[in-house]
Amino acid sequence: MNSKKPGRRRFLKEGAALAGLAVGAIRSASGQTLAPETPAGKPKDTLAYGERSQFVNSLRIGTNGRYGMDNPELPRASRDYGIRTPLQDSVGIITPSSLHFIVSHGYDSPNIDPRQHRLLIHGLVDRPLSFTLEELERLPSVSRIHFVECAGNSTASGAVFVPGAARVAPTGTVQQVHGLTSCSEWTGVLLSLLLREAGVKNGATWIIAEGAEQGMHIKSIPLEKALDDVLVAYGMNGEPVRPQQGYPLRLLVPGWEGINNVKWLRRIKVVDQPYMGMRESTRYPSLRVDGKARWFQFEMGPKSVILRPSGGQKLSGPGFHQITGLAWSGGGMIRRVEVSTDGGRTWKDAAIQGPVHSKAHTRFRLDWNWNGEETVLQSRCTDERNEVQPTVAEVGKIYGVNLTADFFKERPDTLIHFNAIQSWRVNRDGSVQNVFA
Amino acid sequence: MYSLNHVLLVMAAVLCFASAVTRAQTPAYSKVGRTPSEEEIRAWDIAISTDGKELPPGRGTAKEGAVIYAQKCVACHGQSLEGSPLGTALVGGKGTLATTRPVKSIGSYWAFATTVWDYINRAMPRNQEGSLKPDEVYALTAFVLFRNEIIQESDVMDARTLPKIQMPNRNGFVPPRLEDIPDPRKRGCRLGHCP
């Protein structure tokens, strides 16, 4: 095989010529990445593109409440690990695009000119194909509401470099602990349609998907899933996918851990084996206590969390309060959510707000009259396969460990896909605290 | 002049061919998407599988890799490959995976030598990704494998030798066989967790 290098250099040169920019302003890895354009300080016309009220200040946060991006104490590759969604402020099931969580493995979002961008489909196919964004937009499209969740969500895996994991800290908030999940309406072309156009050859069993950012993230995905419900998405909540979410194209792999949803998608190769890219084979496997590691866990399990009231909030006093939260499962639709207002002794069915979408955030609520006494609030969900969200002890059983808070802090490596029931303690003064139980 | 029979025969053959093509998936949306040239595909086709069939020509040894490492890698990964806040440790960690302080280095953890080549090639050095020539990637891969005591200093890494390297922790993953990965039900995964 010839070297790829001349190709990448050629793209670089052409890109520079096209954009009329200095070569130094172009990131080499993507080949298509142009330097940020700097519009000449035009004042924002909010009649042309609106903004939220100046009195609304819900914001994403970085690890442990700080923006990793500008925190020199954090390892560079870790600086954007987990820009978290303010779930506690959310209503309904859609995450505003500006508040969608971000994990980009330490890479800046490339500034891609869609006219330069191509999606290449090749490998074990009858007809390799190259698509422009415009061509993909001409094909039959679908819009679907799905969550995207980081595999490390709910572990506050910032514990790797921040002392005291938020998941077990009394100060832990729902944003710190669970903010690496978001839900959007995604619009695009079913990957199965594109693969049919290319004609998948016998013997193909996997695809690999590759991004156009500097590090060119690569992910192997079984062909069966690729032909099922995977989307090549160009739309997000009624407008083009945001740059931080993969503009102009991203893969959307419903219900599976976030790493599969390759952003800035530029290549899909149909192959006959997983390619064992660095992240999938060395970063995302989770260690068992015996030192072996589970790799390719794919599906996110059933999970729910109460958002109001939640850690760090304060109830105004005894009386009526609406308990509300979100439930979701990589296994399909949420069938049932139960809420306990007495630390798990008794459970009541919460009202589920419809329509319920498969592999999507699902809003639930329960009317509650607080009597002013200390208590613990919990939620648990059941998905369409009758899988019930586990307790902390049940997750420990699956792992074969006694899952105490100390274990959690000592062995964050062993805990991903953590979907145990979340407990919030309501104190007599109305303050709400994280409890690990 | 062809006889009617001849014409019918040709027509039948054409029809037969057409239906065979239909069974083998006909594109449904004509003139959407373009056929890329071989050269275009080659230029983008950089991912390396575990059997190494995509590895380009070239070669390198640890000795050559040490020189490149000193120029392009040492600032982040350190004099002794011990790592720094800017780059992960590339050596060490043997016997730590079952402890409370697991060190997941290339030597102690990574399952495939082809992953080392692929990752250096696509993502290193930071901010100059894609700038290394195949010989340099082979040499750096050899250097890292040598410093992890996986190969000898004089061993030549190329498209033939690299995929044959047995990584020390190759059997440290479940399921160990790649063909067993795609079926989570068979693996006993439930509630979002695999055993």
Side-chain angles (χ1 to χ4, degrees), chain A residues 142 158 168 174-175 263 301 331 355 386:
Chain A
V142 296
V168 296
V174 72
Q175 182 171 14
K263 300 194 274 193
N386 285 321

Side-chain angles (χ1 to χ4, degrees), chain B residues 123-183:
Chain B
M124 292 290 130
R126 188 69 188 232
N127 292 325
Q128 293 163 52
E129 297 88 347
S131 64
L132 296 170
K133 297 181 195 72
D135 283 350
E136 294 176 302
V137 181
Y138 280 117
L140 285 169
T141 306
F143 175 67
V144 171
L145 294 175
F146 166 63
R147 294 297 295 266
N148 277 288
E149 297 169 350
I150 296 167
I151 63 169
Q152 302 296 314
E153 191 166 23
S154 56
D155 286 352
V156 174
M157 286 296 105
D158 58 24
R160 194 179 51 82
T161 56
L162 181 68
K164 291 193 184 133
I165 302 294
Q166 274 295 312
M167 296 294 275
N169 195 45
R170 169 63 188 90
N171 295 317
F173 295 85
V174 282
R177 285 165 18 118
L178 306 191
E179 52 269 41
D180 292 336
I181 291 174
D183 192 343

Side-chain angles (χ1 to χ4, degrees), chain A residues 277-354:
Chain A
M278 188 280 276
R279 290 207 173 73
E280 63 193 359
S281 70
T282 80
R283 290 282 191 272
Y284 280 74
S286 78
L287 279 174
R288 303 192 310 202
V289 283
D290 66 0
K292 298 244 177 186
R294 318 165 182 90
W295 55 17
F296 294 89
Q297 296 204 62
F298 298 135
E299 190 180 297
M300 301 303 289
K303 188 188 286 189
S304 73
V305 59
I306 294 170
L307 307 178
R308 288 193 299 276
S310 64
Q313 296 174 353
K314 192 163 184 187
L315 297 181
S316 52
F320 177 78
H321 295 276
Q322 175 186 247
I323 294 171
T324 180
L326 290 169
W328 62 97
S329 171
M333 278 193 277
I334 292 296
R335 282 272 186 258
R336 183 184 194 191
V337 182
E338 297 158 279
V339 169
S340 174
T341 55
D342 56 12
R345 273 192 299 279
T346 62
W347 295 86
K348 287 189 192 97
D349 274 315
I352 288 181
Q353 172 188 300

